[in-house]
Amino acid sequence: MKNSKQIAIVFFMLLLISSCKQQQDARRPISQASGSFMKKSIARNKKLVATEETKIQTLIKSNPNVVYLASKKGYWYSYETRNEIDTLTPKKGDVAFFDYEIKDLKGTIIYSELELRPQIYYVDKQNIMMGLRDGIKLMRKNEKVNFLFPSNMGYGYHGDDKKIGTNQPLICTVTLRDFKSEAQYKKESQLKVKTPTVAPPVKLETPAVIETTDTITQ
């Protein structure tokens, strides 16, 4: 009887081990499929980046008189107006005031400067286009710069759900009007609120005097 119980226990353990092994084997294709998906996704992204860079390089070569600089972040830019006097550029803790417009690589305007103004940006503290986030920190006051952004530095796969499409490279023309520290900007804003607006004095008009001449008939 004792031997029968031992045999039954051993048999049960063998069934349990076999069941666990089968479950582990059944899960393997999922991890393999996941790895395969990631490899395909990386390959697609590399191909997409290469295609967009080719388009941007074609645009650059079509304008041989314009000097484009390559950034470390993977976009290109050229100056329309350059400030050779100032040395300061916006940094975290500053507030930047700028205007910009967005075009496609053919030069067609997607968003005009008038549509997008005014832009008040707390540097590195607000969620804006990745390319602009980096590009603004390269600029000096009163400079005007043309940025060529691949889609990964713009609105990426989703676009902006309005006018900018999927994986669309962009031209952004940016004018940095001014920038100042957050503390200075806050102080100036508070002064504007506290200072009452004085209405101009009302000019009182003197009523015209009408002269009358009585004619006496004799």
Side-chain angles (χ1 to χ4, degrees), residues 7-203:
I7 292 171
I9 292 170
V10 171
F11 181 73
F12 176 75
M13 293 297 293
L14 289 173
L15 285 175
L16 184 63
I17 292 170
S18 176
S19 175
C20 291
K21 189 175 185 303
Q22 287 177 358
Q23 289 179 2
Q24 289 175 352
D25 290 342
R27 290 175 184 171
R28 285 179 186 174
I30 296 174
S31 60
Q32 290 172 358
S34 178
S36 176
F37 174 80
M38 289 298 294
K39 288 178 181 179
K40 289 180 180 179
S41 179
I42 291 169
R44 282 196 301 269
N45 287 338
K46 285 183 178 180
K47 185 177 180 180
L48 175 65
V49 169
T51 300
E52 291 184 8
E53 286 185 357
T54 299
K55 290 178 180 179
I56 290 173
Q57 289 298 331
T58 300
L59 175 61
I60 291 173
K61 290 177 182 178
S62 68
N63 295 282
N65 296 325
V66 179
V67 178
Y68 282 93
L69 305 173
S71 78
K72 295 179 181 180
K73 296 295 178 95
Y75 61 86
W76 292 259
Y77 60 100
S78 66
Y79 289 89
E80 280 195 34
T81 305
R82 193 159 192 173
N83 180 353
E84 300 284 0
I85 299 173
D86 297 325
T87 58
L88 296 177
T89 57
K91 62 184 184 302
K92 187 174 182 178
D94 288 338
V95 182
F97 308 88
F98 67 96
D99 298 320
Y100 76 116
E101 71 175 9
I102 302 177
K103 296 179 285 190
D104 62 23
L105 293 188
K106 294 180 181 179
T108 302
I109 294 176
I110 301 174
Y111 290 108
S112 69
E113 184 179 297
L114 190 61
E115 289 178 272
L116 299 174
R117 71 169 53 164
Q119 293 292 321
I120 301 175
Y121 168 55
Y122 287 77
V123 179
D124 282 348
K125 292 185 178 182
Q126 285 180 263
N127 186 24
I128 64 171
M129 189 192 310
M130 190 181 298
L132 283 179
R133 184 185 178 98
D134 188 73
I136 284 173
K137 291 188 288 187
L138 299 176
M139 299 179 68
R140 301 169 183 174
K141 191 187 299 185
N142 295 321
E143 286 188 332
K144 187 174 185 178
V145 177
N146 291 313
F147 293 97
L148 304 180
F149 294 134
S151 63
N152 65 311
M153 298 300 292
Y155 287 88
Y157 174 76
H158 294 287
D160 72 340
D161 296 324
K162 295 177 183 177
K163 296 183 181 181
I164 297 174
T166 298
N167 297 324
Q168 185 171 1
L170 302 169
I171 301 173
C172 289
T173 302
V174 182
T175 303
L176 181 62
R177 295 186 286 107
D178 195 9
F179 64 92
K180 59 189 67 174
S181 69
E182 287 184 38
Q184 183 182 352
Y185 177 60
K186 185 177 180 181
K187 184 178 179 180
E188 291 175 358
S189 299
Q190 288 174 342
L191 284 174
K192 287 180 182 179
V193 172
K194 290 180 180 179
T195 304
T197 304
V198 180
V202 178
K203 184 178 179 181

